Amino acid sequence: MAELLDQHTCIYCNRNYVKTIGNTKNKIIRAEYDHFFSQSKYPLLALSFYNLIPICSNCNKKKLDDDFDISTHLHPYLMNIEEKKFSFSFRKKTFSENNIKVNITTNNIDAQNKIKNTFRDLCLSEIYNAHSNKELRDLLDLRYKYSENYLDILLNKTFKGLAISKEEVYRMIFGIEINENDYHGRPFSKFKHDIIEELKKNN
């Protein structure tokens, strides 16, 4: 089903691929599916295609049968423009460590609460902080260990004159998608894209 939805990474955390590998007789790995609307509270929706969300095992274990609702949490298929107004950022914790933070830029109170509730109940901030020593550190190293305009050189000058799109450049250098509708295609796409954009502003 994840293939039919063209969903390649966990729809909640965007950290892990959700691929089914193998066949019906010998499934080596398979995507897991969350029932956004609780099975116990809404049994008639248990097998509804629209209530099955392809996610990784970590997020599935965390959410379990928690009572999510479109009035209180972000629904991956039904997010409006205001509910998408959040971005990843970072702040210095120590000389060598950083904390991930989430900037919420919408003024809509309902959207703010949905973003906060979803991040809190799925522990997304903690999960991303656990990756800060790897995923964030690599991006910061590019910015601070090389020349101040190194990111600009990488993104705008290295492939100048070649018939390569901006999307392809980001895919080759950072292994991410940069279009919002394509974030699901590769792990950490939104996170890395938000951090890169912040670092570019500080060049």
Side-chain angles (χ1 to χ4, degrees), residues 56-98:
C56 67
S57 61
N58 293 330
C59 285
N60 203 18
K61 289 183 178 72
K62 180 60 187 168
K63 184 173 179 295
L64 291 176
D65 201 35
D66 286 355
D67 192 14
F68 278 30
D69 190 272
I70 56 175
S71 65
T72 58
H73 292 79
L74 299 176
H75 189 295
Y77 300 153
L78 302 174
M79 289 169 64
N80 61 40
I81 293 175
E82 292 302 312
E83 293 169 1
K84 294 179 181 180
K85 288 185 176 179
F86 68 89
S87 61
F88 291 100
S89 182
F90 68 95
R91 60 173 173 260
K92 276 286 183 189
K93 181 180 177 183
T94 66
F95 179 76
S96 60
E97 294 182 54
N98 298 275

Side-chain angles (χ1 to χ4, degrees), residues 8 20 28 32 35 38 56 68 99 108 114-115 144 146 185:
H8 302 287
T20 296
I28 302 168
E32 296 189 17
H35 295 81
S38 165
C56 67
F68 278 30
N99 269 344
N108 183 291
K114 287 183 183 182
I115 294 168
Y144 297 119
Y146 299 92

Side-chain angles (χ1 to χ4, degrees), residues 27-203:
K27 278 193 172 63
I28 302 168
I29 299 174
R30 71 175 184 86
E32 296 189 17
Y33 295 90
D34 168 56
H35 295 81
F36 184 84
F37 294 104
S38 165
Q39 293 185 78
S40 58
K41 191 172 181 180
Y42 303 97
L44 292 179
L45 294 178
L47 295 178
S48 170
F49 179 83
Y50 298 101
N51 193 38
L52 294 174
I53 312 291
I55 62 174
C56 67
S57 61
N58 293 330
C59 285
N60 203 18
K61 289 183 178 72
K62 180 60 187 168
K63 184 173 179 295
L64 291 176
D65 201 35
D66 286 355
D67 192 14
F68 278 30
D69 190 272
I70 56 175
S71 65
T72 58
H73 292 79
L74 299 176
H75 189 295
Y77 300 153
L78 302 174
M79 289 169 64
N80 61 40
I81 293 175
E82 292 302 312
E83 293 169 1
K84 294 179 181 180
K85 288 185 176 179
F86 68 89
S87 61
F88 291 100
S89 182
F90 68 95
R91 60 173 173 260
K92 276 286 183 189
K93 181 180 177 183
T94 66
F95 179 76
S96 60
E97 294 182 54
N98 298 275
N99 269 344
I100 305 299
K101 63 178 182 176
V102 178
N103 293 328
I104 299 175
T105 55
T106 177
N107 292 319
N108 183 291
I109 300 299
D110 287 338
Q112 289 179 12
N113 289 332
K114 287 183 183 182
I115 294 168
K116 290 176 182 177
N117 290 342
T118 302
F119 269 78
R120 181 197 66 216
D121 293 343
L122 291 173
C123 296
L124 294 180
S125 293
E126 291 85 348
I127 286 170
Y128 271 86
N129 266 311
H131 288 276
S132 63
N133 285 340
K134 302 288 186 183
E135 306 299 335
L136 177 59
R137 177 66 62 82
D138 289 345
L139 297 178
L140 294 180
D141 283 350
L142 285 175
R143 169 64 177 82
Y144 297 119
K145 288 188 177 179
Y146 299 92
S147 64
E148 288 190 0
N149 62 345
Y150 190 65
L151 278 175
D152 180 60
I153 293 171
L154 273 178
L155 297 173
N156 302 314
K157 297 176 183 177
T158 303
F159 301 96
K160 190 175 181 180
L162 301 178
I164 298 177
S165 67
K166 182 179 179 181
E167 291 76 14
E168 289 173 314
V169 170
Y170 275 77
R171 203 175 298 131
M172 285 189 288
I173 297 175
F174 302 109
I176 63 171
E177 303 291 343
I178 61 170
N179 290 325
E180 184 179 302
N181 291 334
D182 297 327
Y183 283 158
H184 66 274
R186 293 170 187 262
F188 292 103
S189 284
K190 175 172 174 53
F191 168 73
K192 286 187 175 182
H193 187 218
D194 288 347
I195 297 297
I196 290 166
E197 289 303 302
E198 180 173 347
L199 292 175
K200 282 167 59 180
K201 291 176 184 176
N202 296 327
N203 263 350

